[in-house]
Amino acid sequence: MKILIVSGFLGAGKTTFIRHLTDTLPQVDFAIFENEIGETDLDAKVLRDGDRSLNVYEMTENCVCCTGKADFLTNLMTILSALDPEVLIVEPTGAARLSALMGAIEGLQYDALELLPPLTLVDAGTFFREKDDFSELRLDQIRHGSVLVLSKSEQLSPEETAVYRQELQELAPEAEIITGDYKKRSADWFRSLLEKRGGLVLAQEDHEPCQEHHHHDHDHHHGEEALTTVTLTRVAVPHPLYLMRFLDLVTKSCFGRIPRAKGYLPCGNEWVRFDLVQDRWLITGFPPQAEARVTLIGTRLKEEAARSWFEGAEGAARSGL
C-alpha cells in the first residue's frame, strides 16, 4: 500500500486538492485517512460526495503526529489488512508536523507500506501576507515537502509568481514547485505523485515533543499560543446576509483570533456551507444535514459570544427584523 501525505497549514486547500486528484485518476484504488481538528466532518463529506465514492477514515480527537500517533498507526494497519488500497492518502490536520508524521510511518519498517514523497500545499495569499512570521510548524511542512503546490495562485502576476517560487525554493531546494491552476495539469502529472522519486530523504531527526493536548487544544507551535476549536450545533441563520455579517465579525476578531472557520447550517429555506481563511470566505449551497456544525479554529475563542450571536440572529428573524 502506497501512502501519500498531503500536508499544508489551515485552509491551504488540502481537501479540494485530494478530491481533484482522486477524480483525475479514477482507475486508481484510493482510500483517505482524514485527521481533523474539532468535530466538523465537512472535509469528509466533501471527499465522500461527488461522482466517485471514496472510503474515508476519520480521526478527530487527536493529532496523527503526536498524541494520536499510536491510534493512527493502528488504523493504518487496519486499513492495510481490511482494504489494502493501492494508495492511501493521509490528510493530517493543518497543525501537524510533516516531519514527525513521516518519521512515524517510516518507523514501522514494514515492507508492505511504501511512503511516497509528501506534497505540501502553500496558500498564496497567506504566504504573501505572513511569510516573514511563519512559525516553525509551517516551515517544517514546507521544508519536508517533496512537491510544493502554491494554491490559490491563479491570479498572481508573473513577477509575484517568480518571487514566490524563488522563496519557496530557498526553503526547500530539492522540491518541485507548482504554481498556477493545478487543475489544468495533466493526468500524467498527478499520476507521477504516486511514484517514488530519486533523492527522497525521510525525516530521521529528533523532534521536540508536542505539548500535551487539553480538550480541543492543539499546540504545535512550541512557544506560540495554542490553537483551540469550538464547534457549534443547533444554529441557523434566516438569510445569507446574516451569515456574511457573522463571518465579517469573525475576521474582526469579535469571537477570538480565528484564522480558520468552516461549517454548514440552515439558511432560510436552504442549507449552506461556508469556508473562511483569514479575511476571505466562500459561501455555497449544501445538501440538508441532520445537524448544523460551525467550527471556529484559533486562539482565545469566545464560544458564548458566538453562540449568543446566532441566538440573536434567530430572535431577530422571529421578530421580523
Side-chain angles (χ1 to χ4, degrees):
M1 181 175 74
K2 297 180 178 180
I3 302 173
L4 174 65
I5 303 173
V6 177
S7 178
F9 201 63
L10 302 171
K14 300 185 293 296
T15 303
T16 301
F17 181 89
I18 292 171
R19 180 79 255 185
H20 185 76
L21 167 63
T22 56
D23 286 346
T24 300
L25 302 177
Q27 72 280 12
V28 177
D29 178 23
F30 286 105
I32 314 293
F33 190 95
E34 176 80 20
N35 182 209
E36 185 58 85
I37 294 178
E39 301 170 355
T40 295
D41 56 355
L42 174 59
D43 293 346
K45 289 182 183 295
V46 171
L47 291 171
R48 289 190 180 105
D49 290 344
D51 297 333
R52 181 176 185 184
S53 176
L54 294 169
N55 287 307
V56 181
Y57 294 80
E58 301 173 74
M59 191 168 80
T60 60
E61 291 302 316
N62 293 297
C63 172
V64 293
C65 81
C66 53
T67 58
K69 182 171 70 174
D71 288 341
F72 166 65
L73 296 177
T74 299
N75 278 301
L76 202 66
M77 301 307 294
T78 299
I79 294 170
L80 175 64
S81 61
L83 289 180
D84 192 17
E86 183 179 350
V87 179
L88 175 67
I89 300 177
V90 176
E91 180 184 353
T93 168
R97 283 189 177 275
L98 176 55
S99 58
L101 179 56
M102 294 168 63
I105 297 172
E106 188 68 8
L108 285 174
Q109 297 183 342
Y110 186 34
D111 58 9
L113 301 176
E114 178 184 354
L115 181 60
L116 296 170
L119 180 144
T120 298
L121 283 104
V122 182
D123 186 317
T126 301
F127 187 73
F128 177 75
R129 293 195 302 269
E130 302 180 9
K131 61 182 183 296
D132 293 334
D133 299 315
F134 268 14
S135 65
E136 280 302 312
L137 167 65
R138 278 191 270 187
L139 292 176
D140 178 272
Q141 293 174 348
I142 292 172
R143 287 170 176 155
H144 289 88
S146 293
V147 179
L148 303 180
V149 176
L150 191 63
S151 61
K152 311 170 190 176
S153 62
E154 295 86 341
Q155 305 304 318
L156 294 180
S157 68
E159 293 77 17
E160 289 174 320
T161 299
V163 170
Y164 290 3
R165 179 182 291 275
Q166 179 180 347
E167 294 192 11
L168 286 173
Q169 205 75 75
E170 289 175 358
L171 290 170
E174 302 300 319
E176 177 186 2
I177 311 295
I178 303 299
T179 57
D181 187 357
Y182 64 76
K183 293 182 180 179
K184 295 181 179 179
R185 303 190 76 84
S186 68
D188 285 341
W189 180 80
F190 284 97
R191 194 172 293 108
S192 74
L193 300 176
L194 309 183
E195 301 298 332
K196 277 281 191 182
R197 303 178 181 204
L200 174 63
V201 178
L202 295 176
Q204 298 293 343
E205 62 210 74
D206 292 331
H207 296 283
E208 182 182 348
C210 299
Q211 297 182 20
E212 183 180 359
H213 291 39
H214 298 282
H215 185 50
H216 292 305
D217 291 8
H218 200 107
D219 183 4
H220 286 261
H221 294 250
H222 307 294
E224 298 180 15
E225 198 167 2
L227 285 176
T228 60
T229 68
V230 163
T231 296
L232 306 177
T233 59
R234 299 180 183 177
V235 294
V237 291
H239 190 276
L241 285 176
Y242 281 81
L243 181 56
M244 293 172 67
R245 289 177 192 171
F246 175 75
L247 296 177
D248 183 53
L249 292 173
V250 169
T251 66
K252 292 176 179 175
S253 301
C254 293
F255 309 113
R257 185 178 179 276
I258 302 172
R260 184 80 168 99
K262 56 186 176 179
Y264 45 86
L265 71 165
C267 181
N269 296 322
E270 60 182 353
W271 280 69
V272 297
R273 165 192 172 188
F274 72 90
D275 210 322
L276 178 145
V277 180
Q278 301 294 346
D279 58 354
R280 299 168 294 163
W281 68 72
L282 177 67
I283 300 174
T284 60
F286 202 66
Q289 304 294 315
E291 185 177 52
R293 288 189 179 273
V294 171
T295 294
L296 309 176
I297 305 172
T299 58
R300 304 180 186 181
L301 300 182
K302 302 175 183 178
E303 179 176 355
E304 289 307 314
R307 194 180 303 278
S308 295
W309 188 92
F310 280 103
E311 292 173 355
E314 292 186 55
R318 288 194 295 269
S319 301
L321 299 180

Short mmCIF file of all heavy atoms in Angstrom, two decimals, residues 2 8 40 44 62 64 85 96 111-112 117 120 155 157 160 174 177 181 200 205 209 225 239 267 300 304 313:
data_model
loop_
_atom_site.label_atom_id
_atom_site.label_comp_id
_atom_site.label_asym_id
_atom_site.label_seq_id
_atom_site.Cartn_x
_atom_site.Cartn_y
_atom_site.Cartn_z
N LYS A 2 0.68 2.08 -0.99
CA LYS A 2 1.41 3.35 -1.05
C LYS A 2 0.72 4.37 -0.15
O LYS A 2 -0.51 4.38 -0.04
CB LYS A 2 1.47 3.87 -2.47
CG LYS A 2 2.23 2.97 -3.44
CD LYS A 2 2.24 3.57 -4.84
CE LYS A 2 3.03 2.70 -5.80
NZ LYS A 2 3.06 3.27 -7.18
N GLY A 8 -0.23 20.74 4.69
CA GLY A 8 -0.48 22.16 4.46
C GLY A 8 -1.16 22.77 5.66
O GLY A 8 -1.86 22.09 6.40
N THR A 40 -16.13 19.03 13.25
CA THR A 40 -16.82 19.18 11.98
C THR A 40 -16.33 18.15 10.98
O THR A 40 -15.14 18.03 10.73
CB THR A 40 -16.58 20.60 11.41
OG1 THR A 40 -17.18 21.54 12.29
CG2 THR A 40 -17.20 20.75 10.05
N ALA A 44 -14.68 15.41 5.32
CA ALA A 44 -15.02 14.03 4.97
C ALA A 44 -16.24 13.98 4.06
O ALA A 44 -16.30 13.17 3.13
CB ALA A 44 -15.28 13.22 6.24
N ASN A 62 -7.51 13.43 18.22
CA ASN A 62 -6.08 13.62 18.44
C ASN A 62 -5.36 13.84 17.12
O ASN A 62 -5.92 13.63 16.05
CB ASN A 62 -5.48 12.39 19.14
CG ASN A 62 -6.00 12.22 20.56
OD1 ASN A 62 -5.78 13.07 21.41
ND2 ASN A 62 -6.70 11.11 20.80
N VAL A 64 -2.38 13.04 14.39
CA VAL A 64 -1.66 11.85 13.94
C VAL A 64 -0.16 11.91 14.19
O VAL A 64 0.50 10.88 14.20
CB VAL A 64 -1.91 11.59 12.43
CG1 VAL A 64 -3.36 11.21 12.18
CG2 VAL A 64 -1.52 12.81 11.60
N PRO A 85 -5.84 -0.74 -0.12
CA PRO A 85 -5.98 0.06 -1.34
C PRO A 85 -4.62 0.25 -2.01
O PRO A 85 -3.57 0.08 -1.38
CB PRO A 85 -6.51 1.40 -0.81
CG PRO A 85 -5.96 1.48 0.57
CD PRO A 85 -5.99 0.07 1.10
N ALA A 96 -0.28 19.89 12.07
CA ALA A 96 0.58 18.73 12.31
C ALA A 96 1.96 18.96 11.70
O ALA A 96 2.10 19.64 10.68
CB ALA A 96 -0.06 17.48 11.69
N ASP A 111 7.52 -3.69 5.03
CA ASP A 111 7.72 -3.59 3.58
C ASP A 111 6.42 -3.59 2.78
O ASP A 111 6.44 -3.35 1.57
CB ASP A 111 8.65 -4.70 3.08
CG ASP A 111 8.14 -6.10 3.40
OD1 ASP A 111 6.98 -6.21 3.87
OD2 ASP A 111 8.88 -7.08 3.19
N ALA A 112 5.30 -3.84 3.43
CA ALA A 112 4.01 -3.75 2.72
C ALA A 112 3.54 -2.30 2.58
O ALA A 112 2.56 -2.03 1.89
CB ALA A 112 2.95 -4.57 3.44
N PRO A 117 6.86 10.38 -1.71
CA PRO A 117 7.30 11.74 -1.41
C PRO A 117 6.09 12.62 -1.07
O PRO A 117 5.12 12.67 -1.83
CB PRO A 117 7.96 12.20 -2.72
CG PRO A 117 8.38 10.93 -3.38
CD PRO A 117 7.33 9.93 -3.03
N THR A 120 3.00 19.28 -0.13
CA THR A 120 2.53 20.34 0.77
C THR A 120 1.88 21.45 -0.04
O THR A 120 2.45 21.92 -1.02
CB THR A 120 3.70 20.93 1.59
OG1 THR A 120 4.28 19.91 2.41
CG2 THR A 120 3.24 22.08 2.46
N GLN A 155 -4.27 34.04 -9.79
CA GLN A 155 -4.34 35.46 -10.10
C GLN A 155 -3.03 36.21 -9.87
O GLN A 155 -2.97 37.42 -10.05
CB GLN A 155 -5.45 36.12 -9.27
CG GLN A 155 -6.82 35.47 -9.41
CD GLN A 155 -7.28 35.43 -10.85
OE1 GLN A 155 -7.13 36.39 -11.60
NE2 GLN A 155 -7.86 34.30 -11.25
N SER A 157 0.58 37.79 -10.54
CA SER A 157 1.29 38.27 -11.72
C SER A 157 2.53 37.42 -11.94
O SER A 157 3.00 36.75 -11.02
CB SER A 157 1.70 39.73 -11.52
OG SER A 157 2.70 39.83 -10.51
N GLU A 160 5.11 38.29 -9.31
CA GLU A 160 4.83 37.73 -7.99
C GLU A 160 5.12 36.23 -7.97
O GLU A 160 5.71 35.71 -7.02
CB GLU A 160 3.37 37.98 -7.61
CG GLU A 160 3.05 39.43 -7.28
CD GLU A 160 1.57 39.64 -7.05
OE1 GLU A 160 0.76 39.03 -7.79
OE2 GLU A 160 1.22 40.40 -6.14
N GLU A 174 15.23 21.09 -2.92
CA GLU A 174 15.05 19.91 -3.76
C GLU A 174 13.60 19.71 -4.20
O GLU A 174 13.30 18.79 -4.95
CB GLU A 174 15.51 18.66 -2.99
CG GLU A 174 16.96 18.71 -2.54
CD GLU A 174 17.92 18.84 -3.70
OE1 GLU A 174 17.68 18.18 -4.74
OE2 GLU A 174 18.89 19.61 -3.59
N ILE A 177 8.27 22.83 -7.45
CA ILE A 177 7.38 23.94 -7.13
C ILE A 177 6.31 24.05 -8.22
O ILE A 177 6.63 24.17 -9.41
CB ILE A 177 8.13 25.28 -7.03
CG1 ILE A 177 9.37 25.14 -6.14
CG2 ILE A 177 7.20 26.38 -6.52
CD1 ILE A 177 9.08 24.83 -4.71
N ASP A 181 -2.85 27.26 -11.84
CA ASP A 181 -4.00 26.40 -11.58
C ASP A 181 -3.61 24.94 -11.74
O ASP A 181 -3.45 24.44 -12.86
CB ASP A 181 -5.13 26.76 -12.55
CG ASP A 181 -6.43 26.02 -12.24
OD1 ASP A 181 -6.43 25.20 -11.30
OD2 ASP A 181 -7.43 26.28 -12.93
N LEU A 200 14.79 11.01 -2.33
CA LEU A 200 13.88 11.27 -1.22
C LEU A 200 14.60 11.01 0.10
O LEU A 200 15.12 9.95 0.34
CB LEU A 200 12.65 10.37 -1.31
CG LEU A 200 11.67 10.44 -0.14
CD1 LEU A 200 11.07 11.84 -0.04
CD2 LEU A 200 10.58 9.40 -0.27
N GLU A 205 15.42 13.08 12.00
CA GLU A 205 15.95 13.90 13.07
C GLU A 205 15.06 13.81 14.30
O GLU A 205 13.90 13.45 14.24
CB GLU A 205 16.05 15.36 12.60
CG GLU A 205 14.69 15.94 12.25
CD GLU A 205 14.78 17.00 11.18
OE1 GLU A 205 15.00 16.64 10.02
OE2 GLU A 205 14.64 18.18 11.52
N PRO A 209 8.95 17.10 21.44
CA PRO A 209 7.60 16.57 21.50
C PRO A 209 6.57 17.67 21.59
O PRO A 209 6.81 18.72 22.18
CB PRO A 209 7.61 15.73 22.79
CG PRO A 209 8.72 16.31 23.61
CD PRO A 209 9.75 16.79 22.63
N GLU A 225 0.91 30.59 21.05
CA GLU A 225 -0.33 30.30 21.75
C GLU A 225 -1.04 29.13 21.07
O GLU A 225 -1.05 29.01 19.85
CB GLU A 225 -1.22 31.54 21.74
CG GLU A 225 -2.31 31.50 22.76
CD GLU A 225 -2.96 32.85 22.94
OE1 GLU A 225 -2.58 33.79 22.24
OE2 GLU A 225 -3.87 32.94 23.79
N HIS A 239 -31.02 34.25 6.65
CA HIS A 239 -30.71 34.76 5.31
C HIS A 239 -29.19 34.79 5.16
O HIS A 239 -28.46 34.94 6.15
CB HIS A 239 -31.29 36.17 5.15
CG HIS A 239 -31.22 36.70 3.76
ND1 HIS A 239 -30.10 37.32 3.26
CD2 HIS A 239 -32.16 36.71 2.77
CE1 HIS A 239 -30.34 37.69 2.00
NE2 HIS A 239 -31.56 37.33 1.68
N CYS A 267 -30.03 28.01 6.28
CA CYS A 267 -30.02 29.44 5.93
C CYS A 267 -31.36 29.73 5.25
O CYS A 267 -31.50 29.54 4.04
CB CYS A 267 -28.85 29.75 5.01
SG CYS A 267 -28.71 31.47 4.52
N ARG A 300 -7.95 32.09 21.99
CA ARG A 300 -8.78 32.94 22.85
C ARG A 300 -10.22 33.01 22.33
O ARG A 300 -10.82 34.08 22.23
CB ARG A 300 -8.19 34.35 22.97
CG ARG A 300 -6.75 34.36 23.47
CD ARG A 300 -6.19 35.76 23.59
NE ARG A 300 -4.78 35.72 23.94
CZ ARG A 300 -4.03 36.82 24.13
NH1 ARG A 300 -4.56 38.01 24.02
NH2 ARG A 300 -2.75 36.70 24.45
N GLU A 304 -19.25 31.52 23.99
CA GLU A 304 -20.56 32.02 24.38
C GLU A 304 -20.97 33.23 23.55
O GLU A 304 -22.15 33.40 23.22
CB GLU A 304 -20.57 32.36 25.87
CG GLU A 304 -20.53 31.14 26.77
CD GLU A 304 -21.62 30.14 26.42
OE1 GLU A 304 -22.79 30.57 26.22
OE2 GLU A 304 -21.32 28.94 26.33
N ALA A 313 -29.55 36.27 16.11
CA ALA A 313 -29.96 36.27 14.70
C ALA A 313 -31.31 35.56 14.55
O ALA A 313 -32.19 36.02 13.82
CB ALA A 313 -28.91 35.60 13.84
#
